[in-house]
Structures are given as structure tokens and as C-alpha cells.
Amino acid sequence: QSLQIHLRTINMKAATLILAFAASASAFVPAQQARTSVATNMKVDEMPGATGPFNGFDPLGLATLGSESTLSWFRAAELKHSRVAMLATTGYLVQAAGIHFPGMLSSDVSF
């Protein structure tokens, strides 16, 4: 009885290891994607937010990559990162002005 339970436990462990290795190996297989390049209908100069003197400032040519949804994603990511950068700058300036939160992070380190 105990030998059967022991063998069953070993078989289950072996099966679990085999499945785990198979699942981890599939993580390194490159995904099959159709690569299509679609020119955007909107020129960089005509996009909302394009202002002078650098109407079409795109030195890396990112506006011509992918589709219109790719360009929209790039613009949304740029807005998100710029907002985070503005918050970080504001936080730095507030701390440099000597404004600190009350309280202690630990016994000898304040906010």
C-alpha cells in the first residue's frame, strides 16, 4: 500500500516537472506575427498639437512606423511619460524648498 502511494507520488512529481519545463520552454518561442507596414493617412505636420517652429519634428521617423493605432499609442505613451516627469520635477522642487511630509520612515529617517 505505501509503496503504491510512494510510486504514485513520484509519478505525479515527474509529470509536474515535465509540464513545467514544457510550459517554460514555450515562453522562449518567438511569436508568429504578420509584419505589415501601413502608411498613416495623417501627415505629421497636420496632427493636432503640431506647432511652430518645429511642425514636423520627428528625427527618428517614428511617425512612419506601423499603423495609425501605433502612432496613437506612441502619442499616449509620450503624454503619460511627460506627466510623470512633471510630477517628479514638482516633487523635487517641493523637497528642495524644504517642504516635507510629517512623520518618520524609520527611527532615524524622516520623509
Side-chain angles (χ1 to χ4, degrees):
Q1 178 82 12
S2 67
L3 180 61
Q4 289 177 344
I5 293 172
H6 182 67
L7 289 176
R8 187 177 295 153
T9 304
I10 291 174
N11 286 339
M12 290 179 75
K13 287 180 182 179
T16 303
L17 284 174
I18 290 171
L19 288 174
F21 285 130
S24 65
S26 67
F28 298 104
V29 175
Q32 299 295 325
Q33 297 178 353
R35 297 204 34 104
T36 58
S37 178
V38 178
T40 59
N41 294 336
M42 189 181 303
K43 293 182 181 177
V44 179
D45 298 340
E46 299 170 356
M47 295 177 74
T51 59
F54 303 110
N55 288 339
F57 184 71
D58 187 21
L60 299 177
L62 296 176
T64 59
L65 293 177
S67 63
E68 288 188 37
S69 63
T70 304
L71 185 58
S72 297
W73 185 86
F74 284 155
R75 293 188 67 168
E78 182 179 8
L79 281 174
K80 178 177 68 171
H81 292 120
S82 65
R83 290 173 181 161
V84 170
M86 286 187 280
L87 281 172
T89 302
T90 303
Y92 176 79
L93 293 174
V94 167
Q95 291 287 316
I99 301 170
H100 300 284
F101 290 114
M104 302 291 282
L105 288 174
S106 67
S107 61
D108 59 345
V109 178
S110 67
F111 274 100

